[in-house]
């Protein structure tokens, strides 16, 4: 696990999408996750096969791959929230997102199947979050010894993933604005 990027802090503010974890209550997180997954599904439904599966660059996922990742984030984080509530300081497995994309064929999933799975993942995540007892939000999970995070953080992180990847999907299907001659290229959005 030494090659994993560190988890964001409990009070993280994303420099790209500007979400500030400290400002996010549970209800807002559920709204963000629901709105983002609905927007992803609506956008995917407007795309032709080639646009769904085209990677803008080899190292950047296609819209359908991002949507599969969001589905898996919601399922994984629902399980993480559950474990955080019912276990004492459970150790979390990393998601290995790129491995999942390759191993489970994200690029080839039929859109109708993905849309059903994405909706079910969103509903399951929301149901699990709503079931958290009021006294459990500060219970902790661990990925590495120095990475202890609360159940509340898990919900904020999942919402952030949904919002951030909606932006990734939108950017992957929208043409980049023209640059003035001699202008520098915009900064890379990778690493989100």
């Amino acid at each position: 696990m030494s090659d994993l990027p560190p988890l964001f802090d409990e009070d993280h503010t994303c420099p790209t999408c500007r979400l500030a974890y400290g400002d996010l209550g549970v209800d807002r997180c559920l709204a963000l996750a629901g709105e983002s997954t609905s927007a992803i599904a609506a956008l995917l439904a407007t795309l032709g096969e080639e646009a769904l599966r085209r990677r803008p660059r080899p190292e950047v996922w296609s819209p359908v791959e991002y949507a599969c990742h969001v589905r898996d984030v919601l399922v994984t984080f629902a399980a993480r929230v559950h474990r955080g509530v019912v276990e004492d300081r459970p150790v979390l497995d990393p998601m290995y997102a790129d491995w999942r994309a390759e191993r489970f064929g994200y690029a080839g999933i039929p859109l109708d199947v993905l849309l059903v799975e994405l909706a079910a993942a969103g509903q399951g995540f929301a149901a699990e979050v709503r079931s958290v007892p009021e006294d459990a939000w500060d219970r902790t999970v661990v990925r590495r010894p120095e990475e202890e995070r609360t159940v509340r953080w898990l919900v904020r992180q999942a919402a952030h993933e949904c919002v951030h990847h909606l932006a990734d999907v939108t950017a992957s299907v929208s043409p980049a604005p023209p640059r003035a001659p001699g202008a520098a290229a915009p900064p890379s959005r990778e690493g989100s």
Side-chain angles (χ1 to χ4, degrees), residues 16-17 36 40 43 66 160-174 189 192:
T16 304
C17 68
S36 297
I40 289 170
L43 181 56
Y66 275 120
H160 175 239
E161 290 268 341
C162 292
V163 168
H164 209 88
H165 293 315
L166 168 59
D168 291 330
V169 169
T170 302
S172 74
V173 298
S174 302
R189 298 174 22 126
S192 55

Side-chain angles (χ1 to χ4, degrees), residues 25-110:
V26 171
D27 289 338
R28 183 66 183 134
C29 289
L30 289 175
L32 288 170
E35 291 162 8
S36 297
T37 55
S38 293
I40 289 170
L43 181 56
L44 294 181
T46 69
L47 300 177
E49 272 301 303
E50 198 274 328
L52 271 174
R53 300 177 198 288
R54 180 183 58 240
R55 285 184 166 202
R57 295 186 310 277
E59 70 279 6
V60 177
W61 284 343
S62 68
V64 76
E65 289 170 308
Y66 275 120
C68 286
H69 174 66
V70 169
R71 173 205 59 203
D72 286 358
V73 162
L74 292 168
V75 170
T76 298
F77 276 77
R80 288 176 172 182
V81 166
H82 180 76
R83 290 186 65 206
V85 170
V86 302
E87 299 176 31
D88 290 328
R89 292 186 79 239
V91 177
L92 305 178
D93 289 328
M95 284 196 61
Y96 295 118
D98 288 325
W99 172 84
R100 281 181 188 235
E102 180 67 28
R103 176 66 64 209
F104 295 102
Y106 283 9
I109 189 170

